[in-house]
Amino acid sequence: MLFCVRSFVVALHSHKLGMLRWLLGDRESQGPVEKTTVLFIGEEQPKNAYTELQVLKGHFDMVRFLVRIDDVRFASAGDDGIVLLWNVQTGERLHELRGHSQQITAITRFQKHSAESSCPMILSASSDRSVSLWDADTGNRVQTVTDLRSSVKCLLVLERLDLWLSGGNDLCVWNRNFELLCKTEDFNDAGITAMIELPKNCIAAAMDKELIIYRLTVPSSELESWEIQEVKRLIDHQDSIRALISVNDQAFASGSHVGELIVWDSLDWTIQSYERVFGDTAQADIQSEIKLLSPKQNEMSVQHLTSDGEYIVAAIGSGIYVYSLLTKNVIAYRKTAHDSDVLHTLKLPNGQLISCSEDGSVRFWMLQDLPPPAEHASSAFFGMWGFGRANKQPNQQVKKGADCLVLRSLELTGDLIGHSGAVQMFLPFNDNVLVTCSTDHLVMLWKDGDRESRLRSLDLFNKLEQNKGL
């Protein structure tokens, strides 16, 4: 299903937006809503190239995950337990991977190496307490492990060691043949929800409000088998950890349910900076007719973190905040970037940001320099963020005040409205192609309309030339 959407998929005026929602199904926000006309960009969006839309159908329940396989293929998965493989250029469904009996809880790409070749694989985990390995070229299931103690909530592939890890109520280390090498003791109170790789064969795992550092020991002449040992527990978060990412070789970051952002040293696991959002002082962007006497918990929660090594982009409530690792402060923000909670963000090399939300929209932002201000920025914003200092502890009172300047602004440059449910995540490809998935059971390909039109015209001319104009 392919059609142009320049006139109605990009940000619409209120009456056209209502018509689109009527056509695609009523969209109900699943989080707090702050309506604002400031962010309505209008129909003319010269900086938005995504004017053509292709709808991919195949799932019959909400789609939560998108995984890039290579430059032309990706996989989608969700609550129907099915993994679908697609061609991003044509929208063709390549394979349908069936084997799980319940919803997919984690999925990742796994490059399987052999003496003869190397082929892309898909590693998927499900609530049915199984993990499967799929051949992306054939769609066949190569390996599977069942009857695990609990559902696997996260997967981590260590390409360098040719291993993969599964996290849930325990942490298991597997080789490429699905042989269990070692595991941790069972966690009874809470399971592992996220994992990242650290230097020196270490792993950081998030479990409730704690970060646990593990070290993998490689077999040697003194040690016959693999071992995984807990070496440290980081207990500086005050609430459950919602996001955990690698920043660069020297740092990683975590965000919590109460708006904490902590940047950690990857080698000694000490705090490089600590930031905290305070919702009760963040009322500047809300319309005068909307009064919030106290902040709601999900307005402060860190839903997603992403980083390009220089900046960290934090999705907090319905807002977006850009944090500089160099200056250790927020250099740009939009407290009300969407009408509901932001679920996924990404910073591109050209300074552009992408965000998607429970409100069903995908938005594009451009980081732009501000003219030198004559005075310090308003404390209404900086009361939300404390300054990052290596020795700052969570139980200390966060300093409020205008300690630094907001150096850049986030300008809304594009708005994609097509999904009738919450957009869970997106996946960018080359040649201005963006893939989105949603609770409305759909996967959508957003393309550069001008480029696609030129390609179709070129294809038509080639066919006419081959048929001698007939």
Side-chain angles (χ1 to χ4, degrees), residues 349-367:
N350 61 0
Q352 190 178 53
L353 274 72
I354 312 177
S355 61
C356 66
S357 167
E358 285 185 346
D359 64 14
S361 69
V362 179
R363 286 184 162 176
F364 299 90
W365 310 85
M366 185 61 68
L367 270 175

Side-chain angles (χ1 to χ4, degrees), residues 243-395:
L244 177 65
I245 62 165
S246 295
V247 174
N248 49 44
D249 293 337
Q250 292 79 38
F252 66 99
S254 56
S256 78
H257 189 56
V258 292
E260 299 166 301
L261 170 66
I262 301 181
V263 181
W264 308 85
D265 188 289
S266 295
L267 295 177
D268 60 15
W269 316 307
T270 56
I271 295 179
Q272 291 186 354
S273 62
Y274 175 93
E275 309 292 333
R276 172 88 182 257
V277 169
F278 292 91
D280 55 344
T281 60
Q283 305 296 324
D285 289 1
I286 303 177
Q287 285 181 298
S288 58
E289 65 269 19
I290 300 179
K291 303 296 182 182
L292 297 179
L293 299 179
S294 60
K296 297 181 180 179
Q297 194 67 38
N298 53 358
E299 293 177 348
M300 303 163 57
S301 177
V302 178
Q303 280 88 232
H304 188 261
L305 294 174
T306 186
S307 177
D308 62 355
E310 184 180 1
Y311 301 101
I312 295 175
V313 181
I316 301 178
S318 59
I320 303 172
Y321 302 84
V322 183
Y323 177 81
S324 170
L325 292 163
L326 179 62
T327 61
K328 292 184 172 58
N329 69 281
V330 174
I331 55 113
Y333 78 103
R334 276 278 190 177
K335 183 188 177 294
T336 311
H338 286 264
D339 288 338
S340 192
D341 284 349
V342 180
L343 301 181
H344 195 79
T345 59
L346 180 67
K347 184 179 182 297
L348 301 179
N350 61 0
Q352 190 178 53
L353 274 72
I354 312 177
S355 61
C356 66
S357 167
E358 285 185 346
D359 64 14
S361 69
V362 179
R363 286 184 162 176
F364 299 90
W365 310 85
M366 185 61 68
L367 270 175
Q368 294 189 336
D369 292 333
L370 290 175
E375 58 183 4
H376 287 293
S378 170
S379 61
F381 167 65
F382 286 103
M384 300 165 57
W385 289 81
F387 262 108
R389 295 186 176 89
N391 60 351
K392 171 66 79 174
Q393 298 298 323
N395 57 358

Side-chain angles (χ1 to χ4, degrees), residues 95-307:
H95 298 291
E96 187 173 302
L97 313 183
R98 291 181 176 267
H100 293 296
S101 59
Q102 296 183 35
Q103 70 183 60
I104 304 296
T105 54
I107 185 170
T108 188
R109 182 181 182 273
F110 182 54
Q111 192 76 18
K112 190 171 184 180
H113 302 280
S114 64
E116 296 80 17
S117 62
S118 177
C119 58
M121 315 291 284
I122 296 293
L123 197 62
S124 62
S126 169
S127 294
D128 61 12
R129 300 187 178 185
S130 71
V131 180
S132 295
L133 183 68
W134 311 84
D135 189 316
D137 294 331
T138 65
N140 296 328
R141 182 157 61 176
V142 179
Q143 300 280 358
T144 187
V145 58
T146 58
D147 299 325
L148 298 172
R149 287 190 179 185
S150 68
S151 298
V152 172
K153 299 177 182 178
C154 55
L155 295 166
L156 177 64
V157 174
L158 305 180
E159 296 277 3
R160 179 176 52 85
L161 300 175
D162 205 16
L163 303 174
W164 61 276
L165 285 72
S166 61
N169 284 358
D170 48 21
L171 176 59
C172 301
V173 181
W174 311 80
N175 63 15
R176 61 176 179 171
N177 297 319
F178 272 50
E179 296 171 340
L180 181 61
L181 302 179
C182 55
K183 62 181 296 185
T184 63
E185 295 181 359
D186 184 47
F187 302 117
N188 294 320
D189 296 333
I192 294 174
T193 56
M195 295 183 292
I196 58 171
E197 182 180 5
L198 299 179
K200 299 182 178 180
N201 292 343
C202 290
I203 305 296
M207 187 178 67
D208 194 21
K209 62 178 67 174
E210 295 182 345
L211 283 174
I212 308 176
I213 307 298
Y214 293 98
R215 177 175 283 115
L216 274 170
T217 304
V218 181
S220 62
S221 57
E222 293 82 15
L223 185 66
E224 295 182 356
S225 60
W226 288 85
E227 284 189 0
I228 184 167
Q229 297 177 332
E230 178 183 327
V231 293
K232 191 169 184 179
R233 289 204 174 206
L234 310 178
I235 57 174
D236 299 274
H237 276 293
Q238 298 181 22
D239 206 338
S240 58
I241 297 170
R242 301 290 300 272
L244 177 65
I245 62 165
S246 295
V247 174
N248 49 44
D249 293 337
Q250 292 79 38
F252 66 99
S254 56
S256 78
H257 189 56
V258 292
E260 299 166 301
L261 170 66
I262 301 181
V263 181
W264 308 85
D265 188 289
S266 295
L267 295 177
D268 60 15
W269 316 307
T270 56
I271 295 179
Q272 291 186 354
S273 62
Y274 175 93
E275 309 292 333
R276 172 88 182 257
V277 169
F278 292 91
D280 55 344
T281 60
Q283 305 296 324
D285 289 1
I286 303 177
Q287 285 181 298
S288 58
E289 65 269 19
I290 300 179
K291 303 296 182 182
L292 297 179
L293 299 179
S294 60
K296 297 181 180 179
Q297 194 67 38
N298 53 358
E299 293 177 348
M300 303 163 57
S301 177
V302 178
Q303 280 88 232
H304 188 261
L305 294 174
T306 186
S307 177

Side-chain angles (χ1 to χ4, degrees), residues 459-470:
D459 184 58
L460 177 60
F461 292 150
N462 290 336
K463 290 181 179 179
L464 289 175
E465 185 176 342
Q466 291 173 4
N467 296 328
K468 296 181 181 181
L470 298 180

